[in-house]
Every structure is written in structure tokens, then in C-alpha cells.
Amino acid sequence: MEQAVRSTEEQSVLSLEEIANLAAEGGQSAETLMNVVALIAKRFRTDVCSAYLLEPDRANLVLAATVGLRRECVGSLRMAVHEGLTGLVAEQVQAVSVSQVKNHPRFKYFRDSGEDAYQSFLGVPLIDRGILQGVLVVQTIEARVFSSDEIRMLTEAASQVAPIVSEARTLDRFIAPLQERLWALARNLWWSWDHNSASLFLDLDPARWNEVNHNPIALLNGIPLARLETRATELMLHSRVNYAYRRMLEYLEADRTWGTRHAGVLRPHPVAYFSAEFGLHESLPVYSGGLGVLAGDHIKSASDLDIPLVGIGLFYGQGYFRQHLDRNGWQREEYLETDVNQLPMEAAIGKDGRPVVVEIETRSGRIQAKVWRVKVGRRDLLLLDSDVEGNAPEDRELTSRLYGGDLRIRIRQELLLGVGGLRALKALGVVPGVFHLNEGHSAFAVLEAIRMRMEDEGIAFDAAVPRISREVVFTTHTPVPAGHDRFDASLVEEHIGPLREALGLSPESLLGLGRENPANSDELFCMTVLALRLSRRANAVSALHGEVSRAMWTGLYKGKPEDEIPIGHITNGVHVPSWLAPQMFRLYDRHLGTDWLQRGSEAKIWLGIENVDDGELWETHLNLKSQLIDFVRRRAIAQSERRGESQEELQRLERVLSPDALTIGFARRFATYKRANLILTDIEKLAAMVNDPNRPVQFVFAGKAHPLDEPGKRVLQQIADLMRDPKFRDKFVFVEDYDINVGRHFVQGVDVWLNNPRRPLEASGTSGQKVVLNGGLNLSVLDGWWAEAYDGMNGFAIGTGKTHSNMSVHDTRDGEDLMRALRDEVIPLYYQRDRDGLPRGWIKRMKRTIRTLGWRFNADRMVMDYTLKCYVPAAGGTSSDLRTFS
């Protein structure tokens, strides 16, 4: 080492003449840079030398040349300037020397780079004409302390290399515009609901696209720059990439939006939208089912409409579980770690210019969380992550799993979501004008908002409550009592005690806020009760659910008639571009007008569906059905291979299901009240139905049971068993590991969507609304959204909406009504064909369902309702509000 230092002291690491020679050898600045880092590594006797370029946005660094790291990472390894030690050099614009990198708080391991063997780090800024251009880094395997002379000499080398880096950035654009723009698209989830953008990633590498679960970050990380350019040239993708990129910029920068016209009051003080899960896309696994997908659709429509809104959730490092069925059809759960480097997330940077970390004091210690930012079109989603240094081991695992663990884990997660989420907003300089609680999980946020108001205005708790409550919107989603979180007094005090003291409340006063009867010390603390007590506006998610919710919570409003309980309803809707098949999208473009999507909440827009040729609509549907069957076959074969089943079984699954058979889909959570096995009420009649050679019927199923729900698992096993029963095995297929991708295939391709919960336990349900958009028909119990949607001709009903106090009688009657509807209505209408082979009556019903339901049950209409009826009034933005007092 001393000899190396002495030799380098006698001359600069690189002379200007040497750089000129290297430039002549390479020709292009990218090649010159590679030659330069090789020479520096040799002169410094280091195992690694790398050059990172600052991207045009000056917020990210990209690996441009390296000796020692994996060459395939050149052009694809990226980091934000606030990430890792290399980012620290750029952030501080000064040298950083570390002998043991893993001991440094800014250490971040980039798995694909191959840097895990290296211990020491020396990085210096690359500055040309006073402007930061990038970072030059050397690393060694051994723990090495770099001397001040070595730091000085590398800094001198950097000053000589900086002009090359500047040229690479400004002339050659070392990172080609193609890749820049693909990365820009990949980092904003807008691509996930823009079919043209999504198809770009698919075309780059179809096999890899499926392997990475449609994750463009993982896809681009695995494609070297040279291969990317070659592939783009082969497929002539450059113009398509440029077009998609321009469209995204136009979308992000548009200022003549619905939100600009109707929600301007929210611009300085946006909606803070809290949800325990967000189902945005299958590649971001922080959701389990309907609640999360609804939240994802909500934030996407808020983006499309340009409603100022910030989402707040938790980052689950292992997400929800991966599902596999064993040879006996029993559900097995598997939890996998998610690599944050492969996700479109970046650390949220606070007003102080540093990554945001929130802290919450409890009686048992402090909980900390870092904050990730996800771009969802025009909107931001903030995800809190407790896996940070300084947390106790149990708290580092706190956000690892969604809906896992016991009540203590649950209350700690909800404390982090509500209180931590609001503190994250404050650190980012966001002052909400409205708090929207999507379910009761985040109700602690209201207590924190009250504390902040007390502190800001110097007022007492009783004065702060009404000022905050008028800004709170609460949406309840479940009519099932077990779905409302309840905690005992000791858990509440352990976690809310410090906040309670800051609010100036006694233990009993706080507990009373979460009890229907505040004086009943035996009553558990309920998050839904807390949310209802502290919100001025509360809503259910369908008309029927509103009735059920008012009846459920009458005890909270003593003296009020049930009809006057202040819980209204805003029926859920789905985000159209996320769930609509590209083929149906093009059909609507041709017949509804090119602006139909922007006006999708207007009933008159959908009248044009009646002008679509029956044959065109039917052929489009058959194409989607064929895609569904291909998808189900592939998944069934993969499942069978994993279980080690015979070659004969694999060959059978290649032909399972028929494109000619009436195909019925069922996909949802396998809770017992959803009755996935209702179709099995009369197994012999079912066997005769599915095996009718003239009018066959087949079923595709998917869904997960909660890991602790043994009855739900047994129902799932009943369905899975039919795949091995000779009478049903070619007509029943269960697709494992239900997620957004599986759901998308199902809702786009089935003929009929089956929904048969035990009324009135389905709050809304949105999967059937996705089927509507794609031309499928619903066969459903008159519950949730279907109770207000069915008109007798736009689908099919199971029963008449009557219930029975005896659950067994209720289920038996519904099972008989289901078989009757299939036998007398659904099957005959589907197989009634004219001389052209078209089921005209069926197609007529398809058109009616699209025309009567498409405009009502979409997320744009839903978010408009929330904006005009909740958000703007809560923010004080209404121009008039006259009230009559008796």
C-alpha cells in the first residue's frame, strides 16, 4: 500500500495526455469512460472502479462504466441521490471514505451489481465547470482505510475525468433517450393503465415480462443497454416509446381537468387518503383483495380526474401470502421477501432535504418507519416501512406481512398507518384539508390530527374535535361484525397512552371514544366506533350496505330513528382503463367516440353500444374467452408440474376447458359467507349440467382463504377436489395464487360472473362491475351493488332478495334458486343461436348491461361523488349550504 501511495504521489493518477490517448482509442465518450475506470483501478490497485452519471432529472445516478461490478448493470443500475454511499457523495458534493461499508447508516446493497464482496468505499464527485456531473468510486475486497493523499489523488483524477462525463451526458447522451424514456415510464404506474405503454414492455421480452410478473423495473434491470437498443431496432420501438413518453408528459402536465374545475379548493390542502392496503398492480404486492383494489382504483381515478389527493399506506415486505394447493387440495401459504430495488419506489424526501423517518412513542418503546413514495399518475402514494435500524426486532418485522399476526401486531400496524402516516405528511410539508379513512384501520390518524390542531392553535381537546371532525370522511366496508377491529384496554393504553396524555384525556375518556356505550368498561375499543365518533361524514359502499350499516350502529346514536343515523352511501366503482381489455377498448373507441373514456360517467356516452354490430361484439368476446382459456390451461399445467403429477395429467390439462362451452367464473376471497360451494348444493344435478353434450357448462375458480380461516380452507378444498373427480375434472379448474393478474384474465374472458354471498353480507363487491365493462353478464344474489343495478334484463338474479333467519334454510333456498336460474335462464339463452350462429338474445343482454351499468359503476363516477359530496364540503369549498331549522 505504501509503495502504491509513493508511486502515485510522484505524478497524477491520470495525465491529460493519457486521457487524450484513451479518448482516441475509444472514439465514443462511453468507451473512453470505460477505459478510464480500468486504468484508475489499475493505478489505485483497487478491485472496483466505477463511474456514475447524474441523469437529466439530477435526482438519480446511473452506472455508466465499471471494472469489478457486473458489466450487464451498466446503463441499468440506478439509484436516487439520497440512496446509498454513492448517492451521499452526490448529495454532499464531497468525498466519502468508508473502510467497512456495512457499518455505515447510508449503506445500501444493490443485489444485481455483484458488490457484496467489497468492504471499503471511496467516492468523489465529478465536477465540470462548477456543475456536478456524477460520482467516481473505487472499492476493495479488504477493509481498507484510504489515506488523505489517496483521497486527494482520486479527487484530482475526477477533475480530469469530469469533462468526459460531461460530454457523455450532453453529447453522446450515454444513456440513450430510448432507455431514459422507458425508465421514466416504468417509474410511474400510469403505464399500468395505458395499454400502449404496457405493450412496449411486453414486446421487449415477452417471456421475461411474464417471469417478472409484469414488472417493468425488473424487466429493464435485466436488459443491458446494447441488447435493449438491438431489440428496439428490431421491433421499431423508438417511435412508440417516444409517443408513449409524450402522452405521459401531456397527461401529467394537463391543467384543464375535471379536478381543476371542481376541486380547486383542495389544491393547497389535498385529501389524505388512508388505507391499510393498495391494489394498484400485481407487480406491487401490498394488497390482499377487494379493499386494496378499491383503494388502488380510487387513487388512479383521482389521478385521471386530477383530484388533489395523497395516498397513505404501509409497505409490506412480504406482502400477502403466495398460495399453492397440495395433492389433497389443501391451501399452503408461502411468504417471499420483496426486493425494493425492483419496485417503482423511492425514498420520500422531507422539507429538510433528507429521507423521511417518522417516530411514534408507545409505553413499550419507540417505533420508527421510513417512507417510500410511489408515483401513481399525477398522484403520490406514501408507504411506511418499519424495517429500519433502531427498531426492536419485532418492530422491524411489523410491516412485513399484510393481515398477519395477532391483535398486538394489528394495533401497532394501525398506529403506524394512522399516526405515522400523518407525521409523514407533516415532514413532507403536506397540510391536508380532508382526511379520508378507508375503513377503520387508520382511525388513530384523527387523534393525531386533533393533537396537531391543539398544538397549532393553542386550544383544548373539546375545541379541536369539531374543527377536525368536519374535515374527516369515513368509509365503512364491512357488514360482518368480525371485520371491525376491536382491542382491549391494555393494548390501547400501551400504544395510545403517550398520545392520550398529549390530548389531555384520561384512560377512560379515550376508551369511551371507541365504545358504543362509553361507560361500559367491559366493551372492547372498536376502531370503527372511533372513526364514526370523530367524522362529520360517513358512508357505506352501496345502498343496501347503507341500510345494513345504519342498523348495525344504532347503538352509537341513541335516540335517533334508524333512518336518521348519519351514515349515507357512495356505491363503489372500478377504474375502467385498469380492467378493460384492449380489444374492448378499441371497440369502444370506434363506436362511442374517441373521448368516451373522459366522459365515461355520462349515461349518454354508452348509448352508442347499441350501434355495435352483434357479430363484432361477439367475436371480440370470443377472442377474450379464448385468451382466458389459454391462460387457465398454462396455469393449471404449471400447478400440476409443481405437484409432480403424471405426464398423462399434464397432457389432459393441455386440453382442459372448451371455447364452445358456457364459461362461468368465480374469483374472490374464500370466506364462508361468500359461499363458493353453493353451486355444489345438488351435486348430481350439477354433474348432469356440466356434462350435457349439447349445452355444456364449465367453471373457473380462484381465490384465497385467510391463513387462519380453517372453514374457508375446507370450502376451497371442496372446489379443488372437483378437479380430480372424473365427472367434473375437465369442467372445473381452480387457478392458484389469485391476484390482480388472475382477476384481470377472469373478468375479461368469462361469459358469466357468479356471485352468491349470503345476503346482506356483501357490502358492495366490484369484481362483477369489471365483468360488465368487458361484456360479461352477472349471475348474482341481489346483494351489494347488484341489488341497485339489476333491472331484470341486464344480467341474472339468484332469488328475489329475500333472506331467512335460519341460515341452513337460507343457503338451501339460494342453492335451489341458483340451479333454477342456470337451468331456466342462463343456459337456454346462451345456446339459443340464429342461422349465423349468433346468440342474439344473449348479445342483446350484453349490450344492455354495458349501456345501463357502464356509466354508473366506474371509479370516475365514484370519485366525483366523493369530491362533490364529501371532499369539497369538508374543505369548506361550497358556495352555498342552506339549512332549515324547526
Side-chain angles (χ1 to χ4, degrees), residues 399-662:
T399 58
S400 63
R401 295 182 181 180
L402 173 60
Y403 301 144
D406 56 17
L407 286 175
R408 189 167 187 275
I409 290 175
R410 177 63 69 89
I411 195 172
R412 291 170 84 82
Q413 286 183 336
E414 296 184 356
L415 179 69
L416 193 58
L417 173 64
V419 177
L422 201 54
R423 291 180 182 177
L425 290 175
K426 183 176 181 180
L428 290 165
V430 177
V431 181
V434 181
F435 305 91
H436 187 171
L437 314 181
N438 191 42
E439 258 308 355
H441 308 114
S442 56
F444 290 140
V446 187
L447 294 178
E448 173 66 4
I450 292 170
R451 184 197 66 79
M452 289 180 173
R453 187 65 60 90
M454 291 169 61
E455 183 179 284
D456 289 345
E457 300 186 11
I459 56 178
F461 177 83
D462 289 342
V465 167
R467 301 186 190 187
I468 290 297
S469 294
R470 69 170 62 102
E471 299 173 357
V472 179
V473 177
F474 171 57
T475 300
T476 179
H477 285 265
T478 176
V480 181
H484 300 272
D485 290 337
R486 290 177 166 85
F487 305 109
D488 64 36
S490 62
L491 273 179
V492 174
E493 178 60 22
E494 177 189 353
H495 294 95
I496 301 297
L499 178 56
R500 172 187 64 74
E501 291 175 346
L503 293 170
L505 297 177
S506 67
E508 279 305 307
S509 295
L510 176 67
L511 292 170
L513 293 173
R515 293 170 175 163
E516 289 189 58
N517 181 357
N520 182 2
S521 60
D522 294 327
E523 185 181 338
L524 294 175
F525 183 93
C526 177
M527 297 295 282
T528 302
V529 172
L530 177 66
L532 287 168
R533 281 198 190 281
L534 296 179
S535 60
R536 178 71 59 86
R537 293 168 179 83
N539 69 279
V541 289
S542 71
L544 180 57
H545 182 225
E547 295 179 13
V548 172
S549 296
R550 287 187 288 276
M552 177 180 288
W553 300 109
T554 52
L556 193 58
Y557 303 94
K558 290 182 170 44
K560 278 186 176 291
E562 186 175 305
D563 286 348
E564 295 181 15
I565 301 298
I567 301 175
H569 80 275
I570 294 177
T571 302
N572 286 342
V574 298
H575 185 243
V576 173
S578 290
W579 299 102
L580 188 65
Q583 296 92 324
M584 290 297 290
F585 207 109
R586 291 191 289 270
L587 183 144
Y588 291 159
D589 276 348
R590 288 193 297 272
H591 298 284
L592 304 185
T594 55
D595 65 341
W596 72 269
L597 185 59
Q598 289 71 42
R599 302 172 61 193
S601 60
E602 299 176 22
K604 63 182 179 182
I605 289 296
W606 297 88
L607 296 176
I609 195 67
E610 297 293 350
N611 299 324
V612 177
D613 179 78
D614 285 358
E616 181 184 6
L617 180 58
W618 188 241
E619 284 300 317
T620 302
H621 171 67
L622 291 183
N623 178 262
L624 294 172
K625 183 177 177 179
S626 177
Q627 290 182 9
L628 168 63
I629 291 174
D630 288 344
F631 171 77
V632 171
R633 287 173 176 171
R634 291 194 304 272
R635 292 292 289 261
I637 291 168
Q639 294 166 193
S640 183
E641 287 178 331
R642 183 186 51 75
R643 289 192 290 265
E645 294 175 347
S646 68
Q647 191 64 35
E648 290 77 14
E649 178 66 6
L650 296 179
Q651 292 173 352
R652 181 187 72 82
L653 292 173
E654 290 177 355
R655 303 182 305 276
V656 74
L657 304 180
S658 167
D660 297 321
L662 171 64

Side-chain angles (χ1 to χ4, degrees), residues 664 679 689 779 818-828:
I664 299 175
I679 191 69
M689 183 179 291
L779 169 60
L818 169 57
M819 295 300 289
R820 186 182 305 114
L822 284 170
R823 183 188 65 240
D824 297 342
E825 297 181 67
V826 179
I827 296 173

Side-chain angles (χ1 to χ4, degrees), residues 824-854:
D824 297 342
E825 297 181 67
V826 179
I827 296 173
L829 188 64
Y830 183 82
Y831 284 105
Q832 184 180 339
R833 308 296 171 98
D834 67 3
R835 65 181 64 187
D836 296 322
L838 295 175
R840 299 284 182 179
W842 189 272
I843 295 170
K844 181 178 180 180
R845 203 167 285 221
M846 288 172 66
K847 290 182 176 181
R848 186 179 182 92
T849 193
I850 294 168
R851 173 169 55 83
T852 60
L853 304 179

Side-chain angles (χ1 to χ4, degrees), residues 371-403:
V371 183
W372 300 104
R373 185 194 301 270
V374 180
K375 299 298 294 183
V376 186
R378 299 181 176 110
R379 304 281 71 93
D380 283 340
L381 169 62
L382 306 177
L383 298 176
L384 279 73
D385 181 358
S386 69
D387 185 16
V388 297
E389 293 284 352
N391 271 345
E394 67 164 337
D395 289 332
R396 294 199 69 161
E397 297 291 320
L398 183 58
T399 58
S400 63
R401 295 182 181 180
L402 173 60
Y403 301 144

Side-chain angles (χ1 to χ4, degrees), residues 146-167:
F146 291 98
S147 69
S148 58
D149 285 330
E150 289 175 298
I151 296 172
R152 174 184 56 79
M153 286 183 290
L154 190 64
T155 302
E156 290 177 358
S159 67
Q160 295 162 359
V161 172
I164 298 174
V165 175
S166 179
E167 181 184 11

